[in-house]
Amino acid sequence: MTTPPPTIAAIVPCYNEETAIGQVIADLRAAVPEMTIFVYDNNSTDETARIAAGAGAVVRSETTKGKGNVVRRAFADVDADVYVLIDGDDTYAAADLPDMIAALRSGPYDHVLGVRRQTTESAYRPGHELGNRGFNWFVSSVFKSPVNDMLSGYRVFSRRFVKSFPALAREFEIETELTVHAMSLRVPQIEVPVGFKDRPAGSESKLRTYHDGFRILSLIVGLIRHERPMLFYGLVGVLLAIIGVVIGLPVVVEFFETGLVPRLPTAVLALGITILAFLSWMIGLILDGVLKARRELSRLNYLTYAAPPM
């Protein structure tokens, strides 16, 4: 009995990409002719949707602003064996897609990360490459899993990854959430180098360097709190304990020297801070148990779907 070929779907989030979207669709179709291309228009005010439809893509709309909201909607709506996520700005090399899909199926893997390699000198905006490296190092250190381009918008997923991904992020921090989900669930994954170039002339980036950078950092801290509660609350407890000792030690020394506690408010404050430190450690222990149960449930949900077709 012949095994049918896997169904492949490309998800292309777009906001005002009329300059680039036609070329993106053409390149994707040339790279993987059998792939269905879904362009999700996110409240564009230009001709993005019309051009995408004219190029033969399936055009859908997500009215809630933000790339994370688009990915959340697309992952829920689209049904396929293999999913491709790529930006609609024509900066990623669609020609590398067959290698990414082959890598996913060869493992089989659940997540293939396209690690960007500049093909033009100015592909990265000033400060973006340095910021990306900093985030890579931070997340790799915290979650004990190496990643070389956690902010890449070019990825390939299995069905079981997509259908077990909660997709809580709203905007450009979706890439961070995808990366941490793969790390916390410990799915089989691999990285593949991909070409990365400048946007076409007349196309403007939607990224806001500092605003989006702070959003990503905030999401990372939140994910550490949820995915590494012992680390997060343990560090908070240590910090509180140090403050309590610094404030309370002179009071203790004075008590042993004189037998008196003349600075009672200071003693009460130090005691209160120390109690908070112990409470923080207890919260970490409790949430660590909750995390284990949640991960077991996520793992069981992940295993309800078949592995990527070989």
Side-chain angles (χ1 to χ4, degrees):
M1 183 177 177
T2 304
T3 303
T7 56
I8 306 172
I11 296 168
V12 189
C14 282
Y15 172 67
N16 288 348
E17 297 290 0
E18 64 179 5
T19 304
I21 189 59
Q23 188 62 53
V24 171
I25 294 170
D27 290 345
L28 288 173
R29 181 163 289 113
V32 186
E34 71 274 19
M35 180 170 62
T36 304
I37 302 170
F38 294 87
V39 170
Y40 273 79
D41 180 49
N42 195 207
N43 291 336
S44 294
T45 56
D46 62 6
E47 297 296 312
T48 296
R50 184 186 62 81
I51 293 172
V58 178
V59 179
R60 293 180 176 175
S61 177
E62 172 52 52
T63 57
T64 306
K65 188 178 179 181
K67 184 178 179 181
N69 292 314
V70 171
V71 172
R72 178 187 179 94
R73 173 74 177 273
F75 280 7
D77 290 353
V78 176
D79 195 26
D81 296 315
V82 177
Y83 294 77
V84 177
L85 180 64
I86 185 171
D87 291 340
D89 55 8
D90 194 26
T91 56
Y92 294 100
D96 294 321
L97 184 54
D99 291 338
M100 296 175 72
I101 294 174
L104 182 90
R105 300 181 65 188
S106 68
Y109 295 100
D110 290 304
H111 177 216
V112 177
L113 175 63
V115 178
R116 291 170 286 183
R117 296 289 182 266
Q118 292 191 93
T119 56
T120 56
E121 291 185 2
S122 57
Y124 275 109
R125 289 172 64 186
H128 282 198
E129 185 175 11
L130 181 61
N132 191 23
R133 288 180 179 177
F135 284 136
N136 291 336
W137 172 83
F138 184 52
V139 170
S140 297
S141 301
V142 170
F143 291 95
K144 309 299 180 185
S145 180
V147 60
N148 290 305
D149 194 1
M150 60 170 283
L151 300 182
S152 173
Y154 195 10
R155 301 168 189 246
V156 176
F157 311 99
S158 69
R159 187 172 189 270
R160 63 183 180 181
F161 182 99
V162 166
K163 297 306 181 182
S164 66
F165 177 61
L168 301 177
R170 297 178 184 274
E171 296 187 20
F172 284 105
E173 65 271 23
I174 184 66
E175 285 91 359
T176 302
E177 189 180 13
L178 286 164
T179 300
V180 173
H181 177 72
M183 290 177 171
S184 62
L185 205 56
R186 289 181 290 172
V187 303
Q189 57 181 323
I190 192 172
E191 296 182 346
V192 173
V194 297
F196 184 60
K197 62 183 179 180
D198 289 303
R199 279 174 161 268
S203 174
E204 294 183 3
S205 174
K206 314 306 183 298
L207 285 171
R208 294 166 291 176
T209 302
Y210 297 107
H211 176 271
D212 292 321
F214 281 121
R215 286 188 68 92
I216 291 167
L217 183 60
S218 175
L219 177 69
I220 291 173
V221 172
L223 288 170
I224 293 171
R225 182 166 58 88
H226 286 288
E227 301 295 338
R228 297 290 304 278
M230 274 300 299
L231 173 65
F232 181 86
Y233 289 100
L235 289 175
V236 171
V238 168
L239 179 61
L240 290 171
I242 291 172
I243 294 173
V245 169
V246 170
I247 293 175
L249 188 59
V251 177
V252 173
V253 171
E254 191 171 13
F255 172 76
F256 279 110
E257 289 177 348
T258 66
L260 301 173
V261 185
R263 291 185 290 173
L264 184 60
T266 302
V268 172
L269 177 62
L271 179 61
I273 293 174
T274 304
I275 290 172
L276 288 177
F278 281 102
L279 286 174
S280 181
W281 291 327
M282 290 303 299
I283 290 171
L285 284 171
I286 292 169
L287 290 182
D288 193 59
V290 173
L291 173 66
K292 183 178 179 181
R294 181 162 55 83
R295 281 184 174 169
E296 289 174 350
L297 185 61
S298 296
R299 180 71 181 177
L300 291 173
N301 182 46
Y302 161 82
L303 292 174
T304 59
Y305 299 96
M310 298 287 284

